Amino acid sequence: MAKTPVIAIVDDDEGVRTSLASLVRSLGYEADAYESGVDFLQHAAGDDPACMIADVQMPVITGDELQAQLVASGRRFPIIFMTAFPSEAVRQRVMAAGAHCYLGKPSSGDEIIRCLEDALAGQMP
């Protein structure tokens, strides 16, 4: 029996984490929520999710800095970035580093679901 995909949610806004986790669970996936990139790196070491949904603007480690650390350590999985402050420069940087989607906040549930299902389709046999 196939393991249920785990989606990591990394966002410093508790309301966003809660709503994304609820959306992810409603689709039949497991959701692990983290309040920062540091929290994710400390608690999910070596246990990579099937996909990550991450905020760009976070204290201590931004989403794109988290992505850079993960890539540098050989941890590669689809990342969907969301930001309330979209920037073409950041979009180009994260997409060039392998991000799957770059969405503005707020995004519709349909947009998030489309990106998530597309990302997982590339991951699952």
Side-chain angles (χ1 to χ4, degrees), residues 8-59:
I9 298 163
V10 184
D11 198 305
D12 58 319
D13 182 317
E14 184 177 2
V16 172
R17 282 195 314 273
T18 301
S19 63
L20 285 173
S22 177
L23 175 66
V24 164
R25 289 185 186 110
S26 77
L27 298 170
Y29 306 123
E30 290 185 32
D32 288 343
Y34 304 89
E35 65 183 85
S36 69
V38 172
D39 190 31
F40 175 81
L41 291 171
Q42 289 175 342
H43 293 99
D47 192 16
D48 287 344
C51 184
M52 174 185 283
I53 302 173
D55 189 9
V56 174
Q57 299 288 342
M58 295 184 289

Side-chain angles (χ1 to χ4, degrees), residues 52-97:
M52 174 185 283
I53 302 173
D55 189 9
V56 174
Q57 299 288 342
M58 295 184 289
V60 185
I61 298 176
T62 64
D64 49 326
E65 291 168 341
L66 172 60
Q67 178 191 35
Q69 286 190 30
L70 291 168
V71 168
S73 65
R75 297 175 71 186
R76 294 184 177 268
F77 44 82
I79 301 176
I80 297 167
F81 282 104
M82 297 180 70
T83 182
F85 306 98
S87 142
E88 186 58 25
V90 173
R91 187 192 74 74
Q92 288 180 1
R93 184 168 60 245
V94 299
M95 295 304 285

